[in-house]
Amino acid sequence: MRQLKQQRAVETREAILLAAAAVFDECGYAGASIHRILERSGATSGALYFHFRSKEGLARAVMQAQPRTIVPLLTSEGLQRLVDTTMIWSHLLQTDTLLRAGVRLTTEQSAFGMEGAATPYQEWAAIMEECLLVAVERGELQAGVDPKELAELVVETCTGMQLFSAAASGRADLPQRAVRMWKLLLPGVAVPALAVRITIDPERGKAAVYGSLPDASST
């Protein structure tokens, strides 16, 4: 019985989180109402406030959920893993409501005075830095390339790139922009022998989502 209650609680929390993501994606933080989120989720107000306490708490949970839409799909290591992260990200921003809402809230949050506005960016930078630390161990980076600095640069570039793409094409061209970023960036950070072997292909983003991403860890 206890396990059943725990499972129901997990399912209820997930339903509220996904409903909130859909509403935040459609309306932004200011336009989203608890009433609309409850309507979308079918949950009670008591359940919502038990799990999240406030609309801001919900927004933070949506922002924190961004990595779970991408990291479990990755099969490669090192620098290829970092490239694949951005390929999957650029594809899912067109299709995944949870990721798209998280990105929108991350961009909007400072306008509403939320504390820790840099946290989602720092979390992504830490994930990317892990890829690059492995790349260092594998001898994939040129001498003098700092993993932390490069990780932050990729986050900064992707942040601006998705905003530009959203305005220019509704993000339809985001995968191609991500490819262009790496074609410009890789020659300056990867050892020459690896730079020509890294796969920079937006189709890898689609393949990962549909469970057919090949293991590129040997590249």
Side-chain angles (χ1 to χ4, degrees):
M1 181 64 73
R2 175 180 292 181
Q3 288 182 338
L4 180 59
K5 287 182 178 180
Q6 290 174 339
Q7 181 60 30
R8 285 178 178 169
V10 170
E11 292 172 355
T12 297
R13 185 186 189 281
E14 183 71 2
I16 296 169
L17 181 70
L18 295 177
V23 175
F24 286 133
D25 182 40
E26 293 166 5
C27 307
Y29 184 79
S33 68
I34 291 296
H35 176 72
R36 184 172 295 184
I37 292 168
L38 289 173
E39 266 191 345
R40 184 73 64 95
S41 68
T44 65
S45 59
L48 187 150
Y49 288 113
F50 173 78
H51 289 290
F52 298 102
R53 297 181 180 270
S54 66
K55 186 171 92 168
E56 182 175 330
L58 259 173
R60 290 189 183 283
V62 170
M63 287 187 284
Q64 291 167 359
Q66 292 177 67
R68 84 176 209 194
T69 66
I70 295 173
V71 174
L73 303 177
L74 295 165
T75 61
S76 49
E77 298 293 338
L79 199 49
Q80 182 69 62
R81 185 179 181 90
L82 177 56
V83 172
D84 286 345
T85 298
T86 62
M87 293 297 105
I88 297 170
W89 167 83
S90 66
H91 173 68
L92 285 180
L93 264 177
Q94 301 175 65
T95 61
D96 190 284
T97 301
L98 183 58
L99 177 61
R100 198 164 52 232
V103 168
R104 177 169 184 169
L105 289 168
T106 298
T107 305
E108 291 182 350
Q109 62 177 320
S110 58
F112 299 102
M114 293 186 191
E115 294 182 1
T119 299
Y121 301 109
Q122 292 166 340
E123 290 174 348
W124 273 121
I127 290 169
M128 293 184 177
E129 185 180 358
E130 287 179 11
C131 300
L132 290 166
L133 290 172
V134 173
V136 170
E137 293 175 359
R138 291 159 59 104
E140 296 178 348
L141 297 184
Q142 293 182 26
V145 176
D146 183 277
K148 181 178 176 63
E149 290 182 357
L150 179 54
E152 290 185 352
L153 176 64
V154 173
V155 173
E156 292 158 2
T157 304
C158 286
T159 299
M161 183 168 60
Q162 69 86 16
L163 286 170
F164 194 145
S165 178
S169 70
R171 297 199 182 99
D173 66 353
L174 185 56
Q176 287 69 41
R177 290 178 183 275
V179 168
R180 182 176 63 184
M181 174 188 74
W182 284 115
K183 286 183 176 179
L184 292 169
L185 191 57
L186 271 180
V189 300
V191 296
L194 179 73
V196 297
R197 299 204 316 270
I198 290 287
T199 304
I200 312 170
D201 184 354
E203 292 301 312
R204 286 181 69 82
K206 294 181 182 178
V209 172
Y210 296 112
S212 57
L213 180 64
D215 185 356
S217 60
S218 60
T219 60

